[in-house]
Amino acid sequence: MKRRQILAAAGVGLAATALAGCNKEAETAAKPQEGASGETFNWKMVTSWPKNFPGVGVGAERFATLVEEMSKGRLKVKIYAAGELVPALEVFDAVSRGTAEMGHGAPYYWKGKVPAAQFFCALPFGPNAQEMNAWLHKGGGIELWEEVYKPFGVLPMACGATGVQTAGWFNKEINSVEDFKGLKMRTPGLGGEVLTKMGGTVVNMPAGEIFTALQTGAIDATEWIGPYNDQALGLHKAAKYYYTPGWQEPNVTFELDINIKAWETLPADLQAIVRAAARDVNADMLDAYNARNMEAMEQLKAEGVDVRSLPDEVLAKLKEVAAEVVEASAAADPAAAKVWAQQKAYLQRLAEYAEFNEKLIYNIRG
Amino acid sequence: MKRRQILAAAGVGLAATALAGCNKEAETAAKPQEGASGETFNWKMVTSWPKNFPGVGVGAERFATLVEEMSKGRLKVKIYAAGELVPALEVFDAVSRGTAEMGHGAPYYWKGKVPAAQFFCALPFGPNAQEMNAWLHKGGGIELWEEVYKPFGVLPMACGATGVQTAGWFNKEINSVEDFKGLKMRTPGLGGEVLTKMGGTVVNMPAGEIFTALQTGAIDATEWIGPYNDQALGLHKAAKYYYTPGWQEPNVTFELDINIKAWETLPADLQAIVRAAARDVNADMLDAYNARNMEAMEQLKAEGVDVRSLPDEVLAKLKEVAAEVVEASAAADPAAAKVWAQQKAYLQRLAEYAEFNEKLIYNIRG
């Protein structure tokens, strides 16, 4: 699920913002609106998600509920769906300029502005959720993330994860690396860059157009998120094969953005409440995706979906090309290069440790 | 790390409790001690851990800190190390009878009293941390856990996880299933039952005696926790081989116990704060173990430790025997049988899903 798709799902375009309204908000939002007790904060959270979007959108709502319950209403967070206050991809900007005190989105949505952001989010053949969390919270990741966002006046926190995604829906079999030649696929971001290098053609389009494009043959394949969200989009009715694993996104971590000036007006107890709520959602969303993806995959299989894993030689080639794409992406920006150098070394250490532990457990139980 | 070891680490025996003091506490602890504001709660948390025990003990301290910060001191949780108020293995009992409002321990420590408890904690070849969390929070696990503990007046919450442990320290090579015959090993619980069925001899002893027993040859092998805690115990100085993976405990989940009568006196905001703090610690401890185990393993290897994985045929046999042990354990208690029937089916579904996702990711990156 990437930039344009989110926009389409929200039913808005990039230009659909009521800019005058946004600027007016910007002047006042960072100041807490104090109630009679002198301690009530009514905050806005802009999000990249349509109303009630399964998984990640529900996570944003859980955050607001937890904060209100824990603070006994002293901090109320009103959630705005994508396009209600600002477009899906302007969440980071809106928080940066103070239009809203908080935002919830995926770091790589603003990689055009902050190229390093994607390293806190998702990388092809990159960290799974467990590894990303260990790096972020105990391996120096959060500190780098805060450093990268600080010039924008934004404090980031990890706030949700998808776990392993799927490789996507295909109407052509993938039996060898040759099968990517000429393949027309909707797959944005770094995954799209890999596909192009493999000889394929990237065709991006809004979510609402994917089903028809796949059904009519305008595209041969598409990736979206995982079984839970893919099923809701009906993609199984327009494609023959469902390939795994989601090599392009072994995990996506979502972020809570907080305007630093607004953050500094919060008393310490409310800051602690916000941190704990974000950590709760970070874990709860992963648990939900792990459970719901499994259930959705069972339903898809029961409906006759042909689930396949990509051949080993194909995955090996994708991995090789992905490494080039990630390195090039990191090299193009000094902050990204700094983050990736630290992250890459740390993830290699985690992977070496997993060789004798987590990986073995998966393999012996199989 | 099991029952007797915890006791020994705390330097106390099972009979060391000042029972008179405990009974006196029992009469009053469930009543909140209200301060001038009418809203201050000073609670006790008894734990199964020595003071400042790395990993899990630090997690209990993090819980208390978070709760105090978030509640602005309205809920203070004073932590008691094992043996200070009650012995390590009486944490559940102490919370049940109201000696303390809260406890932190490992569910399988009280399997003698509540046989079903171990299914919420750790099983040989059982769930890893990610699977345990998905089952507990989105697969019906927590509901079963609450049902099992309710007759004891205790509300349980998941509050920490170790991730994959290690198979232990050996002075004899394990090259085939025959090598377990006559092996003298310190390994308690279900893992110990498996070893016995494999022809080995289980020799349990307090933590303080393990090093000498291993060095003098009184035992051939021992398991403890994982690199981070094992290194602190110095086991690498008394054993030739460090075997992985921790088939006997692919994860241990720890629990927060809350006296239900005390819980009901808490206002809704403090209840929400307790739940979020537990969820934070549940995630944070896993992140810490993943990071610290990796670092400790690197140091152990740098010191020349011979790290090996158990041969495939050995793991296959251990898995077969472990399945028998787990089934027998579940069949011996009606509540355990009910929990295991639901849990087993759910875990199989998660494992089938992982075949095409998490497992593939580990294997293609290797």
Side-chain angles (χ1 to χ4, degrees):
Chain A
M1 181 175 57
K2 297 288 167 26
R3 304 165 65 97
R4 294 181 59 83
Q5 284 63 30
I6 286 293
L7 289 177
V12 295
L14 267 166
T17 321
L19 277 173
C22 286
N23 289 338
K24 198 170 175 184
E25 296 288 349
E27 295 161 19
T28 57
K31 297 174 201 153
Q33 294 158 27
E34 303 202 347
S37 74
E39 270 197 328
T40 298
F41 298 81
N42 289 295
W43 277 18
K44 296 179 188 70
M45 177 194 270
V46 289
T47 75
S48 300
W49 328 119
K51 270 249 180 291
N52 302 316
F53 195 73
V56 61
V58 171
E61 285 157 24
R62 181 181 173 96
F63 173 84
T65 301
L66 286 175
V67 165
E68 182 161 347
E69 284 177 359
M70 286 195 275
S71 71
K72 213 176 172 179
R74 288 193 297 130
L75 175 54
K76 282 186 184 151
V77 178
K78 182 167 161 53
I79 294 188
Y80 292 85
E84 282 191 343
L85 198 57
V86 299
L89 302 186
E90 291 184 16
V91 163
F92 180 84
D93 279 345
V95 175
S96 176
R97 69 178 180 252
T99 301
E101 294 85 356
M102 285 182 164
H104 192 247
Y108 58 14
Y109 290 161
W110 17 97
K111 68 175 183 177
K113 180 164 211 159
V114 193
Q118 64 191 329
F119 294 88
F120 307 106
C121 183
L123 293 171
F125 294 93
N128 65 10
Q130 177 160 290
E131 293 161 342
M132 181 63 105
N133 280 324
W135 174 64
L136 285 173
H137 299 119
K138 304 292 169 183
I142 280 284
E143 291 81 357
L144 284 166
W145 203 354
E146 290 178 0
E147 181 185 313
V148 168
Y149 279 20
K150 197 170 185 180
F152 300 92
V154 175
L155 177 69
M157 294 178 194
C159 193
T162 63
V164 186
Q165 303 204 359
T166 39
W169 299 88
F170 290 71
N171 275 319
K172 288 189 176 171
E173 284 185 72
I174 302 294
N175 295 316
S176 75
V177 294
E178 300 303 313
D179 293 324
F180 283 101
K181 294 217 167 113
L183 187 83
K184 287 173 289 179
M185 183 168 180
R186 191 218 70 91
T187 180
L190 295 175
E193 291 182 39
V194 173
L195 184 76
T196 305
K197 283 201 165 200
M198 298 282 284
T201 306
V202 171
V203 186
N204 280 326
M205 64 190 69
E209 296 173 19
I210 298 176
F211 180 86
T212 305
L214 201 55
Q215 203 174 39
T216 59
I219 56 175
D220 305 310
T222 185
E223 65 90 35
W224 180 238
I225 307 179
Y228 184 44
N229 292 100
D230 292 9
Q231 185 188 36
L233 212 61
L235 297 176
H236 53 295
K237 294 172 187 158
K240 288 184 195 158
Y241 313 110
Y242 195 19
Y243 277 99
T244 63
W247 58 271
Q248 77 288 354
E249 292 178 352
N251 174 59
V252 169
T253 285
F254 300 105
E255 75 181 15
L256 173 67
D257 291 315
I258 307 172
N259 179 286
I260 290 177
K261 283 186 189 160
W263 175 251
E264 288 168 351
T265 67
L266 282 188
D269 59 331
L270 294 183
Q271 287 186 345
I273 282 172
V274 166
R275 285 191 186 280
R279 200 67 181 273
D280 175 300
V281 171
N282 196 47
D284 192 75
M285 195 191 296
L286 178 64
D287 295 346
Y289 268 116
N290 284 331
R292 304 294 164 251
N293 277 337
M294 175 272 279
E295 292 162 7
M297 187 65 107
E298 286 181 347
Q299 290 160 13
L300 291 170
K301 283 181 176 174
E303 290 177 43
V305 168
D306 189 348
V307 180
R308 300 179 173 201
S309 55
L310 289 166
D312 289 348
E313 63 129 352
V314 168
L315 287 168
K317 182 65 181 173
L318 287 167
K319 183 180 159 189
E320 183 191 319
V321 174
E324 297 166 13
V325 166
V326 171
E327 291 297 338
S329 181
D333 176 75
K338 179 181 176 183
V339 172
W340 177 231
Q342 194 273 353
Q343 182 186 31
K344 183 183 180 181
Y346 195 86
L347 292 177
Q348 278 172 345
R349 294 166 67 197
L350 285 179
E352 271 170 44
Y353 182 70
E355 277 293 304
F356 287 89
N357 290 278
E358 205 84 42
K359 180 177 164 181
L360 284 180
I361 289 291
Y362 276 109
N363 285 325
I364 41 176
R365 291 189 322 194
Chain B
M1 180 174 59
K2 297 287 168 25
R3 305 166 63 98
R4 294 182 59 85
Q5 284 63 31
I6 286 293
L7 288 177
V12 295
L14 267 167
T17 321
L19 276 174
C22 286
N23 288 338
K24 197 170 175 183
E25 295 288 350
E27 293 160 20
T28 57
K31 297 174 202 154
Q33 295 158 26
E34 304 201 345
S37 73
E39 269 197 329
T40 298
F41 298 81
N42 289 295
W43 278 19
K44 297 179 187 70
M45 177 193 269
V46 289
T47 74
S48 301
W49 327 119
K51 270 248 180 293
N52 302 317
F53 195 74
V56 60
V58 171
E61 284 157 24
R62 180 181 173 96
F63 173 84
T65 302
L66 286 176
V67 164
E68 182 161 347
E69 285 177 359
M70 287 195 273
S71 72
K72 212 175 172 178
R74 287 193 298 129
L75 175 54
K76 283 185 183 151
V77 178
K78 180 166 163 55
I79 293 189
Y80 292 85
E84 282 192 342
L85 198 58
V86 299
L89 304 186
E90 291 184 17
V91 163
F92 180 85
D93 279 345
V95 175
S96 176
R97 68 178 180 251
T99 300
E101 293 85 357
M102 284 181 165
H104 193 247
Y108 59 13
Y109 290 161
W110 16 97
K111 69 175 182 178
K113 180 164 210 157
V114 192
Q118 63 191 329
F119 294 88
F120 306 107
C121 183
L123 293 172
F125 295 93
N128 65 11
Q130 177 160 291
E131 293 161 341
M132 182 63 105
N133 281 324
W135 175 64
L136 285 174
H137 299 118
K138 304 293 170 182
I142 280 284
E143 292 81 357
L144 283 167
W145 203 354
E146 290 178 359
E147 182 185 312
V148 168
Y149 279 20
K150 197 169 184 181
F152 300 93
V154 175
L155 177 69
M157 293 178 195
C159 193
T162 62
V164 185
Q165 303 204 359
T166 40
W169 300 88
F170 290 70
N171 275 320
K172 289 189 175 169
E173 284 186 71
I174 301 294
N175 295 315
S176 75
V177 293
E178 300 304 313
D179 293 324
F180 284 100
K181 294 217 167 112
L183 188 83
K184 287 172 288 178
M185 181 167 182
R186 190 218 70 92
T187 179
L190 295 175
E193 291 183 39
V194 173
L195 184 75
T196 305
K197 282 200 164 200
M198 298 282 284
T201 304
V202 171
V203 187
N204 280 325
M205 65 191 68
E209 296 173 19
I210 298 176
F211 180 86
T212 305
L214 202 54
Q215 204 173 39
T216 59
I219 55 174
D220 306 310
T222 185
E223 65 90 34
W224 181 238
I225 307 181
Y228 183 45
N229 293 100
D230 292 9
Q231 186 188 34
L233 211 61
L235 297 176
H236 53 295
K237 294 172 187 159
K240 289 184 191 156
Y241 313 109
Y242 196 18
Y243 276 98
T244 63
W247 58 271
Q248 78 288 356
E249 293 178 352
N251 173 59
V252 168
T253 285
F254 300 105
E255 74 182 15
L256 172 67
D257 290 315
I258 308 172
N259 178 286
I260 290 177
K261 282 185 190 161
W263 175 251
E264 287 168 353
T265 67
L266 283 187
D269 59 331
L270 294 183
Q271 288 186 344
I273 282 171
V274 167
R275 286 192 185 280
R279 200 68 181 271
D280 176 300
V281 171
N282 196 49
D284 192 75
M285 195 192 296
L286 178 64
D287 294 346
Y289 268 115
N290 284 332
R292 303 296 163 249
N293 278 335
M294 174 271 280
E295 292 162 8
M297 187 65 106
E298 285 180 347
Q299 290 160 13
L300 291 170
K301 282 182 176 174
E303 290 177 42
V305 169
D306 189 347
V307 180
R308 300 178 173 201
S309 55
L310 289 166
D312 289 347
E313 63 129 351
V314 168
L315 287 168
K317 182 64 180 172
L318 287 167
K319 184 181 159 190
E320 183 190 318
V321 175
E324 296 166 11
V325 166
V326 171
E327 291 297 338
S329 181
D333 176 75
K338 180 183 175 182
V339 171
W340 177 233
Q342 194 274 352
Q343 182 187 30
K344 183 183 180 182
Y346 196 85
L347 293 176
Q348 279 173 344
R349 294 166 67 196
L350 286 179
E352 272 170 42
Y353 183 69
E355 278 293 303
F356 287 89
N357 290 279
E358 206 85 41
K359 179 176 163 181
L360 285 180
I361 289 293
Y362 276 109
N363 285 325
I364 42 177
R365 290 188 323 194

